[in-house]
PDB file of all heavy atoms in Angstrom:
ATOM      1  N   TRP A   1       2.731 -24.673  28.537  1.00  0.00           N
ATOM      2  CA  TRP A   1       1.347 -24.757  28.094  1.00  0.00           C
ATOM      3  C   TRP A   1       1.087 -25.943  27.156  1.00  0.00           C
ATOM      4  O   TRP A   1       0.048 -26.017  26.501  1.00  0.00           O
ATOM      5  CB  TRP A   1       0.915 -23.475  27.410  1.00  0.00           C
ATOM      6  CG  TRP A   1       0.783 -22.304  28.368  1.00  0.00           C
ATOM      7  CD1 TRP A   1       1.769 -21.450  28.738  1.00  0.00           C
ATOM      8  CD2 TRP A   1      -0.388 -21.946  29.091  1.00  0.00           C
ATOM      9  NE1 TRP A   1       1.286 -20.545  29.664  1.00  0.00           N
ATOM     10  CE2 TRP A   1      -0.035 -20.825  29.886  1.00  0.00           C
ATOM     11  CE3 TRP A   1      -1.698 -22.419  29.135  1.00  0.00           C
ATOM     12  CZ2 TRP A   1      -0.971 -20.195  30.729  1.00  0.00           C
ATOM     13  CZ3 TRP A   1      -2.606 -21.803  29.971  1.00  0.00           C
ATOM     14  CH2 TRP A   1      -2.260 -20.708  30.753  1.00  0.00           C
ATOM     15  N   ALA A   2       1.997 -26.912  27.132  1.00  0.00           N
ATOM     16  CA  ALA A   2       1.869 -28.033  26.194  1.00  0.00           C
ATOM     17  C   ALA A   2       0.633 -28.873  26.463  1.00  0.00           C
ATOM     18  O   ALA A   2       0.048 -29.426  25.528  1.00  0.00           O
ATOM     19  CB  ALA A   2       3.120 -28.907  26.267  1.00  0.00           C
ATOM     20  N   GLU A   3       0.208 -28.964  27.723  1.00  0.00           N
ATOM     21  CA  GLU A   3      -0.936 -29.808  28.081  1.00  0.00           C
ATOM     22  C   GLU A   3      -2.258 -29.091  27.986  1.00  0.00           C
ATOM     23  O   GLU A   3      -3.322 -29.644  28.296  1.00  0.00           O
ATOM     24  CB  GLU A   3      -0.751 -30.355  29.507  1.00  0.00           C
ATOM     25  CG  GLU A   3       0.519 -31.192  29.713  1.00  0.00           C
ATOM     26  CD  GLU A   3       0.569 -32.380  28.775  1.00  0.00           C
ATOM     27  OE1 GLU A   3      -0.489 -33.037  28.599  1.00  0.00           O
ATOM     28  OE2 GLU A   3       1.636 -32.656  28.207  1.00  0.00           O
ATOM     29  N   ALA A   4      -2.214 -27.822  27.611  1.00  0.00           N
ATOM     30  CA  ALA A   4      -3.456 -27.026  27.581  1.00  0.00           C
ATOM     31  C   ALA A   4      -4.345 -27.438  26.402  1.00  0.00           C
ATOM     32  O   ALA A   4      -3.854 -27.751  25.309  1.00  0.00           O
ATOM     33  CB  ALA A   4      -3.109 -25.543  27.466  1.00  0.00           C
ATOM     34  N   THR A   5      -5.646 -27.393  26.616  1.00  0.00           N
ATOM     35  CA  THR A   5      -6.582 -27.550  25.503  1.00  0.00           C
ATOM     36  C   THR A   5      -6.639 -26.230  24.729  1.00  0.00           C
ATOM     37  O   THR A   5      -6.422 -25.159  25.314  1.00  0.00           O
ATOM     38  CB  THR A   5      -7.980 -27.936  25.998  1.00  0.00           C
ATOM     39  OG1 THR A   5      -8.464 -26.909  26.910  1.00  0.00           O
ATOM     40  CG2 THR A   5      -7.953 -29.275  26.718  1.00  0.00           C
ATOM     41  N   ARG A   6      -6.909 -26.312  23.467  1.00  0.00           N
ATOM     42  CA  ARG A   6      -6.907 -25.146  22.599  1.00  0.00           C
ATOM     43  C   ARG A   6      -8.266 -24.987  21.950  1.00  0.00           C
ATOM     44  O   ARG A   6      -8.755 -25.904  21.270  1.00  0.00           O
ATOM     45  CB  ARG A   6      -5.817 -25.255  21.547  1.00  0.00           C
ATOM     46  CG  ARG A   6      -4.405 -25.377  22.119  1.00  0.00           C
ATOM     47  CD  ARG A   6      -3.386 -25.815  21.097  1.00  0.00           C
ATOM     48  NE  ARG A   6      -3.336 -24.909  19.962  1.00  0.00           N
ATOM     49  CZ  ARG A   6      -2.537 -25.084  18.888  1.00  0.00           C
ATOM     50  NH1 ARG A   6      -1.745 -26.151  18.843  1.00  0.00           N
ATOM     51  NH2 ARG A   6      -2.553 -24.199  17.886  1.00  0.00           N
ATOM     52  N   SER A   7      -8.884 -23.818  22.171  1.00  0.00           N
ATOM     53  CA  SER A   7     -10.213 -23.539  21.597  1.00  0.00           C
ATOM     54  C   SER A   7     -10.130 -22.317  20.705  1.00  0.00           C
ATOM     55  O   SER A   7      -9.685 -21.242  21.147  1.00  0.00           O
ATOM     56  CB  SER A   7     -11.218 -23.272  22.729  1.00  0.00           C
ATOM     57  OG  SER A   7     -11.285 -24.354  23.610  1.00  0.00           O
ATOM     58  N   PHE A   8     -10.521 -22.505  19.474  1.00  0.00           N
ATOM     59  CA  PHE A   8     -10.488 -21.397  18.507  1.00  0.00           C
ATOM     60  C   PHE A   8     -11.415 -20.286  18.952  1.00  0.00           C
ATOM     61  O   PHE A   8     -12.555 -20.535  19.401  1.00  0.00           O
ATOM     62  CB  PHE A   8     -10.896 -21.899  17.124  1.00  0.00           C
ATOM     63  CG  PHE A   8     -10.970 -20.819  16.085  1.00  0.00           C
ATOM     64  CD1 PHE A   8      -9.824 -20.262  15.524  1.00  0.00           C
ATOM     65  CD2 PHE A   8     -12.196 -20.305  15.679  1.00  0.00           C
ATOM     66  CE1 PHE A   8      -9.891 -19.261  14.564  1.00  0.00           C
ATOM     67  CE2 PHE A   8     -12.272 -19.289  14.724  1.00  0.00           C
ATOM     68  CZ  PHE A   8     -11.112 -18.774  14.161  1.00  0.00           C
ATOM     69  N   MET A   9     -10.965 -19.056  18.832  1.00  0.00           N
ATOM     70  CA  MET A   9     -11.794 -17.909  19.160  1.00  0.00           C
ATOM     71  C   MET A   9     -12.105 -17.141  17.862  1.00  0.00           C
ATOM     72  O   MET A   9     -11.324 -17.137  16.938  1.00  0.00           O
ATOM     73  CB  MET A   9     -11.053 -16.975  20.128  1.00  0.00           C
ATOM     74  CG  MET A   9     -10.703 -17.598  21.459  1.00  0.00           C
ATOM     75  SD  MET A   9      -9.622 -16.545  22.453  1.00  0.00           S
ATOM     76  CE  MET A   9     -10.685 -15.119  22.741  1.00  0.00           C
ATOM     77  N   LEU A  10     -13.232 -16.470  17.871  1.00  0.00           N
ATOM     78  CA  LEU A  10     -13.646 -15.689  16.714  1.00  0.00           C
ATOM     79  C   LEU A  10     -12.612 -14.617  16.460  1.00  0.00           C
ATOM     80  O   LEU A  10     -12.248 -13.871  17.360  1.00  0.00           O
ATOM     81  CB  LEU A  10     -15.009 -15.061  16.935  1.00  0.00           C
ATOM     82  CG  LEU A  10     -15.640 -14.300  15.756  1.00  0.00           C
ATOM     83  CD1 LEU A  10     -15.898 -15.260  14.636  1.00  0.00           C
ATOM     84  CD2 LEU A  10     -16.903 -13.603  16.192  1.00  0.00           C
ATOM     85  N   GLY A  11     -12.103 -14.548  15.237  1.00  0.00           N
ATOM     86  CA  GLY A  11     -11.075 -13.581  14.894  1.00  0.00           C
ATOM     87  C   GLY A  11     -11.675 -12.223  14.508  1.00  0.00           C
ATOM     88  O   GLY A  11     -12.831 -11.949  14.740  1.00  0.00           O
ATOM     89  N   ASP A  12     -10.852 -11.400  13.875  1.00  0.00           N
ATOM     90  CA  ASP A  12     -11.307 -10.076  13.459  1.00  0.00           C
ATOM     91  C   ASP A  12     -11.156  -9.942  11.983  1.00  0.00           C
ATOM     92  O   ASP A  12     -11.053 -10.957  11.253  1.00  0.00           O
ATOM     93  CB  ASP A  12     -10.544  -8.973  14.194  1.00  0.00           C
ATOM     94  CG  ASP A  12      -9.021  -9.144  14.063  1.00  0.00           C
ATOM     95  OD1 ASP A  12      -8.593  -9.862  13.152  1.00  0.00           O
ATOM     96  OD2 ASP A  12      -8.284  -8.561  14.899  1.00  0.00           O
ATOM     97  N   ALA A  13     -11.149  -8.718  11.493  1.00  0.00           N
ATOM     98  CA  ALA A  13     -11.079  -8.488  10.047  1.00  0.00           C
ATOM     99  C   ALA A  13      -9.664  -8.670   9.504  1.00  0.00           C
ATOM    100  O   ALA A  13      -9.431  -8.519   8.313  1.00  0.00           O
ATOM    101  CB  ALA A  13     -11.594  -7.080   9.712  1.00  0.00           C
ATOM    102  N   SER A  14      -8.722  -8.978  10.339  1.00  0.00           N
ATOM    103  CA  SER A  14      -7.325  -9.096   9.935  1.00  0.00           C
ATOM    104  C   SER A  14      -6.960 -10.547   9.674  1.00  0.00           C
ATOM    105  O   SER A  14      -7.800 -11.444   9.689  1.00  0.00           O
ATOM    106  CB  SER A  14      -6.419  -8.520  11.029  1.00  0.00           C
ATOM    107  OG  SER A  14      -6.382  -9.429  12.124  1.00  0.00           O
ATOM    108  N   THR A  15      -5.645 -10.790   9.462  1.00  0.00           N
ATOM    109  CA  THR A  15      -5.158 -12.151   9.259  1.00  0.00           C
ATOM    110  C   THR A  15      -4.780 -12.823  10.579  1.00  0.00           C
ATOM    111  O   THR A  15      -4.325 -13.945  10.572  1.00  0.00           O
ATOM    112  CB  THR A  15      -3.932 -12.146   8.329  1.00  0.00           C
ATOM    113  OG1 THR A  15      -2.922 -11.284   8.906  1.00  0.00           O
ATOM    114  CG2 THR A  15      -4.304 -11.611   6.963  1.00  0.00           C
ATOM    115  N   ARG A  16      -4.939 -12.127  11.682  1.00  0.00           N
ATOM    116  CA  ARG A  16      -4.578 -12.707  12.975  1.00  0.00           C
ATOM    117  C   ARG A  16      -5.626 -13.730  13.405  1.00  0.00           C
ATOM    118  O   ARG A  16      -6.786 -13.686  12.985  1.00  0.00           O
ATOM    119  CB  ARG A  16      -4.486 -11.613  14.049  1.00  0.00           C
ATOM    120  CG  ARG A  16      -3.336 -10.637  13.832  1.00  0.00           C
ATOM    121  CD  ARG A  16      -3.282  -9.625  14.967  1.00  0.00           C
ATOM    122  NE  ARG A  16      -4.473  -8.826  15.050  1.00  0.00           N
ATOM    123  CZ  ARG A  16      -4.691  -7.736  14.316  1.00  0.00           C
ATOM    124  NH1 ARG A  16      -3.805  -7.362  13.416  1.00  0.00           N
ATOM    125  NH2 ARG A  16      -5.807  -7.028  14.452  1.00  0.00           N
ATOM    126  N   ALA A  17      -5.174 -14.659  14.259  1.00  0.00           N
ATOM    127  CA  ALA A  17      -6.081 -15.675  14.816  1.00  0.00           C
ATOM    128  C   ALA A  17      -5.761 -15.795  16.304  1.00  0.00           C
ATOM    129  O   ALA A  17      -4.667 -15.475  16.762  1.00  0.00           O
ATOM    130  CB  ALA A  17      -5.925 -17.011  14.101  1.00  0.00           C
ATOM    131  N   TYR A  18      -6.768 -16.266  17.049  1.00  0.00           N
ATOM    132  CA  TYR A  18      -6.624 -16.374  18.492  1.00  0.00           C
ATOM    133  C   TYR A  18      -7.179 -17.690  18.968  1.00  0.00           C
ATOM    134  O   TYR A  18      -8.191 -18.200  18.426  1.00  0.00           O
ATOM    135  CB  TYR A  18      -7.380 -15.231  19.215  1.00  0.00           C
ATOM    136  CG  TYR A  18      -6.925 -13.865  18.770  1.00  0.00           C
ATOM    137  CD1 TYR A  18      -7.510 -13.219  17.672  1.00  0.00           C
ATOM    138  CD2 TYR A  18      -5.909 -13.204  19.428  1.00  0.00           C
ATOM    139  CE1 TYR A  18      -7.119 -11.979  17.268  1.00  0.00           C
ATOM    140  CE2 TYR A  18      -5.482 -11.941  19.032  1.00  0.00           C
ATOM    141  CZ  TYR A  18      -6.087 -11.338  17.945  1.00  0.00           C
ATOM    142  OH  TYR A  18      -5.695 -10.091  17.526  1.00  0.00           O
ATOM    143  N   GLU A  19      -6.533 -18.280  19.979  1.00  0.00           N
ATOM    144  CA  GLU A  19      -7.033 -19.498  20.620  1.00  0.00           C
ATOM    145  C   GLU A  19      -6.997 -19.275  22.132  1.00  0.00           C
ATOM    146  O   GLU A  19      -6.064 -18.675  22.656  1.00  0.00           O
ATOM    147  CB  GLU A  19      -6.182 -20.710  20.250  1.00  0.00           C
ATOM    148  CG  GLU A  19      -6.221 -21.045  18.780  1.00  0.00           C
ATOM    149  CD  GLU A  19      -5.329 -22.263  18.453  1.00  0.00           C
ATOM    150  OE1 GLU A  19      -4.928 -22.991  19.390  1.00  0.00           O
ATOM    151  OE2 GLU A  19      -5.024 -22.467  17.233  1.00  0.00           O
ATOM    152  N   ARG A  20      -8.003 -19.802  22.804  1.00  0.00           N
ATOM    153  CA  ARG A  20      -7.986 -19.770  24.270  1.00  0.00           C
ATOM    154  C   ARG A  20      -7.356 -21.074  24.767  1.00  0.00           C
ATOM    155  O   ARG A  20      -7.738 -22.160  24.361  1.00  0.00           O
ATOM    156  CB  ARG A  20      -9.398 -19.596  24.826  1.00  0.00           C
ATOM    157  CG  ARG A  20      -9.445 -19.632  26.333  1.00  0.00           C
ATOM    158  CD  ARG A  20     -10.739 -19.068  26.900  1.00  0.00           C
ATOM    159  NE  ARG A  20     -10.665 -17.600  27.073  1.00  0.00           N
ATOM    160  CZ  ARG A  20     -11.461 -16.705  26.478  1.00  0.00           C
ATOM    161  NH1 ARG A  20     -12.378 -17.127  25.620  1.00  0.00           N
ATOM    162  NH2 ARG A  20     -11.314 -15.413  26.709  1.00  0.00           N
ATOM    163  N   LEU A  21      -6.330 -20.932  25.595  1.00  0.00           N
ATOM    164  CA  LEU A  21      -5.635 -22.081  26.168  1.00  0.00           C
ATOM    165  C   LEU A  21      -6.157 -22.324  27.589  1.00  0.00           C
ATOM    166  O   LEU A  21      -6.364 -21.367  28.355  1.00  0.00           O
ATOM    167  CB  LEU A  21      -4.119 -21.800  26.218  1.00  0.00           C
ATOM    168  CG  LEU A  21      -3.452 -21.365  24.916  1.00  0.00           C
ATOM    169  CD1 LEU A  21      -1.979 -21.034  25.177  1.00  0.00           C
ATOM    170  CD2 LEU A  21      -3.585 -22.454  23.865  1.00  0.00           C
ATOM    171  N   ARG A  22      -6.322 -23.579  27.927  1.00  0.00           N
ATOM    172  CA  ARG A  22      -6.798 -23.920  29.245  1.00  0.00           C
ATOM    173  C   ARG A  22      -6.028 -25.115  29.769  1.00  0.00           C
ATOM    174  O   ARG A  22      -6.080 -26.216  29.189  1.00  0.00           O
ATOM    175  CB  ARG A  22      -8.295 -24.218  29.256  1.00  0.00           C
ATOM    176  CG  ARG A  22      -8.862 -24.460  30.648  1.00  0.00           C
ATOM    177  CD  ARG A  22     -10.366 -24.759  30.599  1.00  0.00           C
ATOM    178  NE  ARG A  22     -10.951 -25.021  31.904  1.00  0.00           N
ATOM    179  CZ  ARG A  22     -11.400 -24.087  32.749  1.00  0.00           C
ATOM    180  NH1 ARG A  22     -11.332 -22.805  32.365  1.00  0.00           N
ATOM    181  NH2 ARG A  22     -11.885 -24.401  33.905  1.00  0.00           N
ATOM    182  N   LYS A  23      -5.282 -24.915  30.876  1.00  0.00           N
ATOM    183  CA  LYS A  23      -4.536 -26.012  31.479  1.00  0.00           C
ATOM    184  C   LYS A  23      -5.475 -26.933  32.268  1.00  0.00           C
ATOM    185  O   LYS A  23      -6.591 -26.509  32.633  1.00  0.00           O
ATOM    186  CB  LYS A  23      -3.468 -25.449  32.425  1.00  0.00           C
ATOM    187  CG  LYS A  23      -2.311 -24.744  31.733  1.00  0.00           C
ATOM    188  CD  LYS A  23      -1.266 -24.288  32.756  1.00  0.00           C
ATOM    189  CE  LYS A  23      -0.072 -23.646  32.087  1.00  0.00           C
ATOM    190  NZ  LYS A  23       0.948 -23.197  33.089  1.00  0.00           N
ATOM    191  N   PRO A  24      -5.042 -28.129  32.578  1.00  0.00           N
ATOM    192  CA  PRO A  24      -5.868 -29.016  33.378  1.00  0.00           C
ATOM    193  C   PRO A  24      -6.238 -28.417  34.741  1.00  0.00           C
ATOM    194  O   PRO A  24      -7.291 -28.757  35.274  1.00  0.00           O
ATOM    195  CB  PRO A  24      -4.969 -30.261  33.558  1.00  0.00           C
ATOM    196  CG  PRO A  24      -4.096 -30.266  32.333  1.00  0.00           C
ATOM    197  CD  PRO A  24      -3.854 -28.811  32.030  1.00  0.00           C
ATOM    198  N   ASN A  25      -5.430 -27.503  35.261  1.00  0.00           N
ATOM    199  CA  ASN A  25      -5.742 -26.892  36.556  1.00  0.00           C
ATOM    200  C   ASN A  25      -6.679 -25.687  36.443  1.00  0.00           C
ATOM    201  O   ASN A  25      -6.977 -25.019  37.429  1.00  0.00           O
ATOM    202  CB  ASN A  25      -4.451 -26.459  37.295  1.00  0.00           C
ATOM    203  CG  ASN A  25      -3.704 -25.355  36.538  1.00  0.00           C
ATOM    204  OD1 ASN A  25      -4.156 -24.854  35.512  1.00  0.00           O
ATOM    205  ND2 ASN A  25      -2.528 -24.986  37.067  1.00  0.00           N
ATOM    206  N   GLY A  26      -7.137 -25.404  35.216  1.00  0.00           N
ATOM    207  CA  GLY A  26      -8.083 -24.318  34.993  1.00  0.00           C
ATOM    208  C   GLY A  26      -7.456 -22.997  34.577  1.00  0.00           C
ATOM    209  O   GLY A  26      -8.142 -22.063  34.173  1.00  0.00           O
ATOM    210  N   GLU A  27      -6.146 -22.877  34.683  1.00  0.00           N
ATOM    211  CA  GLU A  27      -5.472 -21.642  34.268  1.00  0.00           C
ATOM    212  C   GLU A  27      -5.670 -21.397  32.777  1.00  0.00           C
ATOM    213  O   GLU A  27      -5.586 -22.329  31.981  1.00  0.00           O
ATOM    214  CB  GLU A  27      -3.970 -21.722  34.610  1.00  0.00           C
ATOM    215  CG  GLU A  27      -3.207 -20.451  34.336  1.00  0.00           C
ATOM    216  CD  GLU A  27      -1.739 -20.550  34.669  1.00  0.00           C
ATOM    217  OE1 GLU A  27      -1.318 -21.626  35.195  1.00  0.00           O
ATOM    218  OE2 GLU A  27      -1.003 -19.608  34.397  1.00  0.00           O
ATOM    219  N   GLN A  28      -5.915 -20.133  32.403  1.00  0.00           N
ATOM    220  CA  GLN A  28      -6.204 -19.801  31.020  1.00  0.00           C
ATOM    221  C   GLN A  28      -5.251 -18.750  30.495  1.00  0.00           C
ATOM    222  O   GLN A  28      -4.682 -17.938  31.235  1.00  0.00           O
ATOM    223  CB  GLN A  28      -7.649 -19.314  30.868  1.00  0.00           C
ATOM    224  CG  GLN A  28      -8.686 -20.382  31.140  1.00  0.00           C
ATOM    225  CD  GLN A  28     -10.088 -19.954  30.806  1.00  0.00           C
ATOM    226  OE1 GLN A  28     -10.990 -20.762  30.744  1.00  0.00           O
ATOM    227  NE2 GLN A  28     -10.293 -18.671  30.582  1.00  0.00           N
ATOM    228  N   ALA A  29      -5.080 -18.763  29.174  1.00  0.00           N
ATOM    229  CA  ALA A  29      -4.292 -17.755  28.483  1.00  0.00           C
ATOM    230  C   ALA A  29      -4.796 -17.662  27.050  1.00  0.00           C
ATOM    231  O   ALA A  29      -5.623 -18.472  26.622  1.00  0.00           O
ATOM    232  CB  ALA A  29      -2.803 -18.087  28.519  1.00  0.00           C
ATOM    233  N   ILE A  30      -4.312 -16.696  26.325  1.00  0.00           N
ATOM    234  CA  ILE A  30      -4.691 -16.518  24.920  1.00  0.00           C
ATOM    235  C   ILE A  30      -3.448 -16.745  24.042  1.00  0.00           C
ATOM    236  O   ILE A  30      -2.393 -16.145  24.269  1.00  0.00           O
ATOM    237  CB  ILE A  30      -5.231 -15.117  24.657  1.00  0.00           C
ATOM    238  CG1 ILE A  30      -6.465 -14.843  25.524  1.00  0.00           C
ATOM    239  CG2 ILE A  30      -5.581 -14.930  23.166  1.00  0.00           C
ATOM    240  CD1 ILE A  30      -7.643 -15.768  25.255  1.00  0.00           C
ATOM    241  N   LEU A  31      -3.573 -17.599  23.056  1.00  0.00           N
ATOM    242  CA  LEU A  31      -2.552 -17.772  22.044  1.00  0.00           C
ATOM    243  C   LEU A  31      -2.867 -16.836  20.883  1.00  0.00           C
ATOM    244  O   LEU A  31      -3.910 -16.944  20.263  1.00  0.00           O
ATOM    245  CB  LEU A  31      -2.485 -19.234  21.565  1.00  0.00           C
ATOM    246  CG  LEU A  31      -1.573 -19.494  20.350  1.00  0.00           C
ATOM    247  CD1 LEU A  31      -0.112 -19.221  20.706  1.00  0.00           C
ATOM    248  CD2 LEU A  31      -1.728 -20.911  19.854  1.00  0.00           C
ATOM    249  N   MET A  32      -1.984 -15.908  20.621  1.00  0.00           N
ATOM    250  CA  MET A  32      -2.137 -14.989  19.499  1.00  0.00           C
ATOM    251  C   MET A  32      -1.246 -15.451  18.361  1.00  0.00           C
ATOM    252  O   MET A  32      -0.066 -15.653  18.535  1.00  0.00           O
ATOM    253  CB  MET A  32      -1.732 -13.578  19.917  1.00  0.00           C
ATOM    254  CG  MET A  32      -1.793 -12.534  18.819  1.00  0.00           C
ATOM    255  SD  MET A  32      -1.266 -10.896  19.432  1.00  0.00           S
ATOM    256  CE  MET A  32      -1.462  -9.910  17.960  1.00  0.00           C
ATOM    257  N   ILE A  33      -1.879 -15.648  17.206  1.00  0.00           N
ATOM    258  CA  ILE A  33      -1.177 -16.094  16.023  1.00  0.00           C
ATOM    259  C   ILE A  33      -1.199 -14.952  15.017  1.00  0.00           C
ATOM    260  O   ILE A  33      -2.232 -14.634  14.438  1.00  0.00           O
ATOM    261  CB  ILE A  33      -1.829 -17.361  15.433  1.00  0.00           C
ATOM    262  CG1 ILE A  33      -1.912 -18.473  16.491  1.00  0.00           C
ATOM    263  CG2 ILE A  33      -1.069 -17.867  14.210  1.00  0.00           C
ATOM    264  CD1 ILE A  33      -2.805 -19.621  16.116  1.00  0.00           C
ATOM    265  N   SER A  34      -0.059 -14.321  14.867  1.00  0.00           N
ATOM    266  CA  SER A  34       0.015 -13.114  14.035  1.00  0.00           C
ATOM    267  C   SER A  34       1.166 -13.275  13.046  1.00  0.00           C
ATOM    268  O   SER A  34       2.253 -12.706  13.217  1.00  0.00           O
ATOM    269  CB  SER A  34       0.233 -11.879  14.908  1.00  0.00           C
ATOM    270  OG  SER A  34       0.261 -10.703  14.160  1.00  0.00           O
ATOM    271  N   PRO A  35       0.934 -14.026  11.960  1.00  0.00           N
ATOM    272  CA  PRO A  35       1.983 -14.231  10.973  1.00  0.00           C
ATOM    273  C   PRO A  35       2.363 -12.932  10.294  1.00  0.00           C
ATOM    274  O   PRO A  35       1.564 -11.991  10.246  1.00  0.00           O
ATOM    275  CB  PRO A  35       1.377 -15.227   9.986  1.00  0.00           C
ATOM    276  CG  PRO A  35      -0.098 -15.000  10.109  1.00  0.00           C
ATOM    277  CD  PRO A  35      -0.343 -14.652  11.556  1.00  0.00           C
ATOM    278  N   PRO A  36       3.563 -12.838   9.748  1.00  0.00           N
ATOM    279  CA  PRO A  36       3.945 -11.636   9.016  1.00  0.00           C
ATOM    280  C   PRO A  36       2.936 -11.328   7.907  1.00  0.00           C
ATOM    281  O   PRO A  36       2.451 -12.213   7.233  1.00  0.00           O
ATOM    282  CB  PRO A  36       5.330 -11.991   8.444  1.00  0.00           C
ATOM    283  CG  PRO A  36       5.875 -13.031   9.391  1.00  0.00           C
ATOM    284  CD  PRO A  36       4.661 -13.822   9.806  1.00  0.00           C
ATOM    285  N   ARG A  37       2.634 -10.052   7.758  1.00  0.00           N
ATOM    286  CA  ARG A  37       1.692  -9.637   6.735  1.00  0.00           C
ATOM    287  C   ARG A  37       2.256  -9.935   5.349  1.00  0.00           C
ATOM    288  O   ARG A  37       3.406  -9.558   5.046  1.00  0.00           O
ATOM    289  CB  ARG A  37       1.402  -8.156   6.855  1.00  0.00           C
ATOM    290  CG  ARG A  37       0.339  -7.625   5.914  1.00  0.00           C
ATOM    291  CD  ARG A  37       0.253  -6.120   5.962  1.00  0.00           C
ATOM    292  NE  ARG A  37      -0.049  -5.639   7.315  1.00  0.00           N
ATOM    293  CZ  ARG A  37      -1.290  -5.514   7.759  1.00  0.00           C
ATOM    294  NH1 ARG A  37      -2.326  -5.820   7.005  1.00  0.00           N
ATOM    295  NH2 ARG A  37      -1.505  -5.042   8.993  1.00  0.00           N
ATOM    296  N   PRO A  38       1.502 -10.609   4.464  1.00  0.00           N
ATOM    297  CA  PRO A  38       2.020 -10.837   3.117  1.00  0.00           C
ATOM    298  C   PRO A  38       2.269  -9.490   2.419  1.00  0.00           C
ATOM    299  O   PRO A  38       1.556  -8.527   2.618  1.00  0.00           O
ATOM    300  CB  PRO A  38       0.839 -11.589   2.427  1.00  0.00           C
ATOM    301  CG  PRO A  38       0.054 -12.168   3.539  1.00  0.00           C
ATOM    302  CD  PRO A  38       0.185 -11.196   4.690  1.00  0.00           C
ATOM    303  N   VAL A  39       3.333  -9.455   1.641  1.00  0.00           N
ATOM    304  CA  VAL A  39       3.659  -8.247   0.926  1.00  0.00           C
ATOM    305  C   VAL A  39       2.713  -8.064  -0.255  1.00  0.00           C
ATOM    306  O   VAL A  39       2.607  -8.904  -1.130  1.00  0.00           O
ATOM    307  CB  VAL A  39       5.118  -8.301   0.413  1.00  0.00           C
ATOM    308  CG1 VAL A  39       5.449  -7.006  -0.374  1.00  0.00           C
ATOM    309  CG2 VAL A  39       6.097  -8.478   1.562  1.00  0.00           C
ATOM    310  N   GLY A  40       1.946  -7.006  -0.217  1.00  0.00           N
ATOM    311  CA  GLY A  40       0.983  -6.750  -1.271  1.00  0.00           C
ATOM    312  C   GLY A  40       1.599  -6.054  -2.453  1.00  0.00           C
ATOM    313  O   GLY A  40       2.776  -5.696  -2.461  1.00  0.00           O
ATOM    314  N   PRO A  41       0.827  -5.825  -3.481  1.00  0.00           N
ATOM    315  CA  PRO A  41       1.339  -5.148  -4.684  1.00  0.00           C
ATOM    316  C   PRO A  41       1.647  -3.691  -4.387  1.00  0.00           C
ATOM    317  O   PRO A  41       1.028  -3.054  -3.511  1.00  0.00           O
ATOM    318  CB  PRO A  41       0.167  -5.278  -5.677  1.00  0.00           C
ATOM    319  CG  PRO A  41      -1.050  -5.391  -4.823  1.00  0.00           C
ATOM    320  CD  PRO A  41      -0.607  -6.164  -3.624  1.00  0.00           C
ATOM    321  N   ALA A  42       2.592  -3.132  -5.086  1.00  0.00           N
ATOM    322  CA  ALA A  42       2.927  -1.720  -4.946  1.00  0.00           C
ATOM    323  C   ALA A  42       1.761  -0.886  -5.462  1.00  0.00           C
ATOM    324  O   ALA A  42       1.256  -1.089  -6.566  1.00  0.00           O
ATOM    325  CB  ALA A  42       4.202  -1.405  -5.709  1.00  0.00           C
TER     326      ALA A  42
END
């Protein structure tokens, strides 16, 4: 998917983010970016 264009998608109430990937041939996929949750206070 290195040649795919990346379009930011509206996220949700969490820390996750999403991008729509589109290859030159029109094939699409979703990139899910879900970093580890920061450790909050006890």
